[in-house]
Amino acid sequence: MTDAMYVQLLDLACGAFLLTGVLVLWRRELSAIVWLFALEGVALTALIVVLGVWQADLELILVGLGVGALRAGLLPYLMRRALVASGAGRETQPLVNVATSLLVAAVLAMLAYAVSQPLVRLSPTPATQAVPIALTVLLIGFFVLVTRRRALSQLVGFLLMDNAITATAFLTTSGVPLVVELGISLDLLLAVLVLQVLTTRMRAAFGGTDLDELRELHD
Amino acid sequence: MGVIGAVLQVIAVAVGSPLLLGLMRQVRARLEGRAGAGVLQPWRDLRKLMRKEAITPRGTGWVFRAAPLLLAGTALVVAAVVPLVTTASPLDGVADLFAVTALLALGSVALALGALDTGTAFGGMGASREMTVLALVEPTILVSTFALSIRVGSTSLGSIVTATVEDPLSVISPVSVLAAAALAIVTIAETGRIPVDNPSTHLELTMIHEAMVLEYAGPDLALIEWASAMRLSVLLGLLSSLFFPLGIAGAGAGVLALPLSVITLVLKVGLLGVLLSAGEVFMAKLRLFRVPELLAGSFLLALLAVGASFFLA
């Protein structure tokens, strides 16, 4: 892989990562959101694999493939199952309307760029220069987490944040140790499984997963 | 050489844009299982309208009469300025993206003012809807082209296209992808196609562009229809020149390169038109309240394109 090609592939992967993260804010159908999350997992995999091929590091490539299997395969599969079981297809009414949240995302991108400048200046390589993109997705994930009402789209927000944290880790350091990555991934899987059980229980108890309606205490 | 190129460009756009419209309608008709009126139908419509008597509604002033002329005039100037056939146009000095956007906006504003001048409910409604769309469309065109101009270091459309011709692989970057997506959405909105506006409807709840031109008749209407077709083909041409500048004659190319470049332009714009109309068959019009969402999305994409060109530089 030549130098220019590495930069181009890395940038493309980062662009796809950012685009899928932003589009999550735009779509209303929960199934589309889950699809976008899966696509973002693919972009993250591509990013780590490109880094791994560039550094000729087999372990990094394998970690990337493992991350891909988890985030583009297993987690979307679990979420889709939860979605089919619940039957509710739409994020009915986000707390901030879609047009405004898109404009907020623009502001968040600027904020991420400003915040990550000192970080980039430490060692300006192509990989660290993409850190603002990962931070943008992190902030967008947080925004999704706090402004959405459905349990499932909040879960996607949480997972977006985690995707972004992973991306930042791989972009700033040249590869996280396998054990650390394994630990994070298992935690994530556990969180999703617990939330899936929780949403099933919630639906059984209240008939819906709109978290804003859970104001009263039930026996 | 540059002058010939610019003249060819204007002629190609002026003659070809109704044909493009006819082609798009034909594709749509065929995909819907109808026979279609033929590619030449828009030209026949224009000829019919041109023969009619010019009448204006009572109580309208010069704004109403000047609007079609201004719209067609700005469309022609933009067609001469934007690098479609050649980048060596003598007007290259004004082929600035700010100037082009301002010219496009001037045409839209003139038409909206003309619609307001009639004092009818439809005219006002159409004008207000057009302004809602325009307020998000113009900044998006500016910002998305600006993202491309950062790499080149100049806001001249000619130099952006020249730089892309010299280094075609630079198109494959997140900056171009984001900017292309934003510009494509904006082109659809600006030219009033589905999913933002339905060009073939006369239903008052849905229309934007049609509501503004309801009071026009005869040659004025013909001028407006022609200018709208030209704006569509210029914007599609700009999209193809910025992201796929194959076959555009550069400054050093000979006169022989010009016919070839006209042919590639026709092919590229025709292909984009076919794709657009084929996409329209499978889509429904968005509700008017959802349109700002779509446009805010495209503005965000354009802004991220600018951001990315700084992040990843």
Side-chain angles (χ1 to χ4, degrees):
Chain A
M1 201 180 337
T2 62
D3 219 358
M5 196 176 149
Y6 158 67
V7 174
Q8 222 161 36
L9 284 177
L10 189 71
D11 285 1
L12 263 188
C14 288
F17 188 68
L18 179 63
L19 192 62
T20 45
V22 167
L23 288 182
V24 166
L25 279 180
W26 189 23
R27 295 307 302 262
R28 288 201 173 141
E29 287 83 17
L30 290 177
S31 59
I33 290 179
V34 173
W35 259 113
L36 282 169
F37 173 72
L39 284 180
E40 194 177 64
V42 173
L44 183 64
T45 313
L47 195 136
I48 301 173
V49 169
V50 166
L51 279 174
V53 171
W54 174 242
Q55 292 164 10
D57 185 350
L58 186 66
E59 193 187 319
L60 197 54
I61 297 176
L62 289 180
V63 168
L65 291 180
V67 165
L70 178 68
R71 287 167 207 236
L74 190 56
L75 296 182
Y77 168 72
L78 287 176
M79 281 193 279
R80 217 166 293 140
R81 259 186 42 185
L83 191 66
V84 171
S86 72
R90 288 199 145 217
E91 171 68 45
T92 38
Q93 190 88 63
L95 289 177
V96 178
N97 73 28
V98 174
T100 316
S101 50
L102 285 169
L103 294 179
V104 168
V107 176
L108 291 180
M110 296 296 121
L111 182 69
Y113 180 60
V115 167
S116 55
Q117 270 313 290
L119 211 62
V120 175
R121 234 177 282 130
L122 285 178
S123 75
T125 61
T128 47
Q129 267 167 352
V131 166
I133 283 181
L135 283 185
T136 309
V137 176
L138 177 79
L139 291 175
I140 288 174
F142 190 61
F143 188 70
V144 170
L145 189 59
V146 295
T147 59
R148 294 301 163 101
R149 292 188 174 169
R150 297 269 168 196
L152 196 67
S153 45
Q154 293 195 357
L155 181 58
V156 169
F158 168 71
L159 291 175
L160 278 188
M161 279 175 70
D162 193 77
N163 268 355
I165 291 169
T166 313
T168 316
F170 279 104
L171 286 171
T172 45
T173 68
S174 51
V176 184
L178 189 59
V179 181
V180 176
E181 184 50 42
L182 213 59
I184 295 174
S185 297
L186 284 179
D187 268 359
L188 207 61
L189 189 59
L190 201 65
V192 172
L193 285 174
V194 166
L195 277 167
Q196 199 187 6
V197 173
L198 205 63
T199 46
T200 319
R201 296 294 299 264
M202 264 167 61
R203 209 174 37 254
F206 307 105
T209 57
D210 193 331
L211 297 183
D212 274 12
E213 284 169 14
L214 306 183
R215 294 221 178 87
E216 293 169 28
L217 288 171
H218 284 242
D219 291 328
Chain B
M1 144 78 200
V3 181
I4 305 171
V7 171
L8 269 181
Q9 198 167 298
V10 175
I11 293 172
V13 169
V15 175
S17 49
L19 297 180
L20 174 71
L21 215 58
L23 177 71
M24 290 173 69
R25 284 187 196 158
Q26 187 69 21
V27 167
R28 212 190 139 107
R30 280 292 156 84
L31 283 176
E32 287 171 349
R34 295 183 280 120
V39 175
L40 285 174
Q41 188 58 36
W43 265 122
R44 282 185 220 124
D45 288 346
L46 289 182
R47 196 183 57 190
K48 184 187 76 184
L49 286 172
M50 285 308 284
R51 286 185 189 150
K52 293 194 173 183
E53 186 190 356
I55 51 168
T56 51
R58 187 178 302 156
T60 53
W62 61 270
V63 177
F64 183 79
R65 274 184 292 281
L69 295 172
L70 209 54
L71 187 69
T74 51
L76 277 174
V77 174
V78 171
V81 159
V82 167
L84 297 174
V85 170
T86 172
T87 54
S89 151
L91 291 169
D92 201 37
V94 281
D96 194 68
L97 80 104
F98 296 102
V100 168
T101 317
L103 280 171
L104 285 174
L106 181 64
S108 304
V109 170
L111 193 60
L113 284 179
L116 282 177
D117 195 32
T118 60
T120 61
F122 276 157
M125 190 188 72
S128 99
R129 288 179 177 179
E130 173 80 3
M131 285 302 116
T132 314
V133 172
L134 195 70
L136 277 165
V137 160
E138 299 297 338
T140 311
I141 298 184
L142 267 185
V143 173
S144 58
T145 329
F146 189 58
L148 298 173
S149 75
I150 290 169
R151 185 186 57 200
V152 184
S154 153
T155 55
S156 157
L157 292 173
S159 16
I160 296 175
V161 173
T162 313
T164 319
V165 171
E166 280 163 7
D167 185 13
L169 274 183
S170 65
V171 170
I172 312 170
S173 75
V175 178
S176 306
V177 173
L178 290 168
L183 213 55
I185 293 174
V186 153
T187 305
I188 291 169
E190 171 82 14
T191 53
R193 313 291 307 184
I194 288 174
V196 174
D197 187 10
N198 190 344
S200 55
T201 184
H202 281 281
L203 188 67
E204 63 269 24
L205 284 175
T206 58
M207 55 193 179
I208 299 176
H209 180 77
E210 282 295 321
M212 290 194 297
V213 302
L214 271 184
E215 300 290 327
Y216 284 98
D220 282 343
L221 183 59
L223 212 52
I224 289 179
E225 295 292 338
W226 184 52
S228 309
M230 282 199 293
R231 286 165 74 102
L232 174 65
S233 38
V234 164
L235 281 170
L236 287 183
L238 184 64
L239 203 60
S240 71
S241 308
L242 285 177
F243 300 104
F244 192 65
L246 194 76
I248 293 181
V255 183
L256 281 179
L258 288 178
L260 192 69
S261 126
V262 172
I263 291 169
T264 48
L265 172 72
V266 169
L267 285 180
K268 280 191 293 189
V269 173
L271 186 68
L272 277 180
V274 168
L275 283 179
L276 184 58
S277 54
E280 280 181 344
V281 174
F282 298 101
M283 259 194 275
K285 194 187 153 311
L286 279 181
R287 288 166 68 206
L288 196 67
F289 311 108
R290 296 289 301 274
V291 169
E293 252 169 47
L294 180 74
L295 294 176
S298 73
F299 179 68
L300 172 64
L301 291 186
L303 202 67
L304 288 178
V306 173
S309 64
F310 280 112
F311 296 161
L312 305 171

